[in-house]
Amino acid sequence: MEMLQLVIEFLGTFAFAISGIRWAAYKRFDWFGGYVVGLATAIGGGTIRDVMLGVTPFWMTNSIYMICTAAALLTVIVFKKAIVKFANTWFLFDTLGLALFTVAGLQKTLLEGFPFWVAIIMGCITGAAGGVIRDVLINEVPLIFRKEIYAVACIIGGLGYYACACLHFAPGIAAAVCFAIVVAVRLAAVRLHISLPHLQEEEEQK
């Protein structure tokens, strides 16, 4: 399970870094700015999770996460025209990163001996917090606070993981189910324009 955890975190780091760097490129940041945004997107949620769990942040024990972000930056630079051409590329990598890090957050919390309800919360934080940091850095309203289904997809995926655990499925199967649910919910919500209701001000309600 620990090896699976590492693989998921590496893939999630690359996917989220691509997402952050893509947005930084859209905002016309320079290469260093793009790297910072990509790195913050990739490690932000996991850092908050690890601090709350009382363990050393994952990226401080292995330099591969810095290297993954550098590889993501190089990918965006080399394939810039292709990435710009496909306008939904950032959404794809953001969704993949969200799903991968949700699984990573769940599994690491369970490895630390916390109950499932805490694991689901940490999975949500791991998946969504990096995107919040990214949006703050690029001066956008965080996606998690807008109408799109984002953190809710993490919660639903976490419940799917819990259901698999209750049925005594192998961790790899539970991880795959959680990943598929998060991706499916996110894609379905965007494609079908499913969103949560907005909070309305008093003036709008009158």
Side-chain angles (χ1 to χ4, degrees):
M1 186 170 176
E2 290 184 0
M3 179 58 67
L4 178 63
Q5 173 78 17
L6 286 174
V7 172
I8 290 173
E9 285 191 346
F10 292 162
L11 293 174
T13 297
F14 186 79
F16 252 167
I18 286 282
S19 168
I21 294 167
R22 172 66 183 89
W23 266 115
Y26 178 76
K27 292 286 186 173
R28 303 187 65 82
F29 284 27
D30 62 18
W31 287 11
F32 178 74
Y35 182 84
V36 170
V37 173
L39 183 63
T41 307
I43 70 172
T47 300
I48 295 173
R49 173 203 65 207
D50 288 348
V51 169
M52 294 180 72
L53 294 179
V55 300
T56 302
F58 68 104
W59 57 272
M60 297 179 68
T61 61
N62 195 332
S63 61
I64 191 63
Y65 302 102
M66 303 293 183
I67 297 172
C68 278
T69 304
L73 176 63
L74 182 62
T75 300
V76 173
I77 292 172
V78 173
F79 299 103
K80 180 179 179 180
K81 290 183 179 180
I83 291 176
V84 171
K85 182 179 179 181
F86 297 102
N88 291 326
T89 301
W90 73 267
F91 171 76
L92 172 62
F93 282 103
D94 185 64
T95 299
L96 293 177
L98 181 71
L100 288 165
F101 271 179
T102 298
V103 174
L106 279 162
Q107 291 187 328
K108 186 162 189 177
T109 306
L110 293 174
L111 284 172
E112 293 296 325
F114 288 87
F116 246 108
W117 65 271
V118 176
I120 292 174
I121 293 173
M122 291 301 160
C124 184
I125 289 174
T126 308
V132 174
I133 297 172
R134 174 200 64 211
D135 292 343
V136 170
L137 288 175
I138 64 173
N139 197 30
E140 292 282 343
V141 176
L143 190 62
I144 191 176
F145 301 137
R146 287 181 269 166
K147 65 179 182 178
E148 288 192 27
I149 299 295
Y150 198 76
V152 174
C154 302
I155 295 172
I156 296 173
L159 293 174
Y161 192 107
Y162 176 66
C164 290
C166 290
L167 295 172
H168 305 291
F169 289 173
I173 296 176
V177 170
C178 178
F179 174 86
I181 289 175
V182 174
V183 171
V185 170
R186 183 95 171 90
L187 293 178
V190 172
R191 186 175 182 82
L192 301 176
H193 305 289
I194 300 172
S195 63
L196 298 176
H198 283 159
L199 288 173
Q200 296 182 337
E201 296 181 357
E202 292 184 3
E203 290 79 3
E204 294 177 334
Q205 294 176 342
K206 292 180 180 179

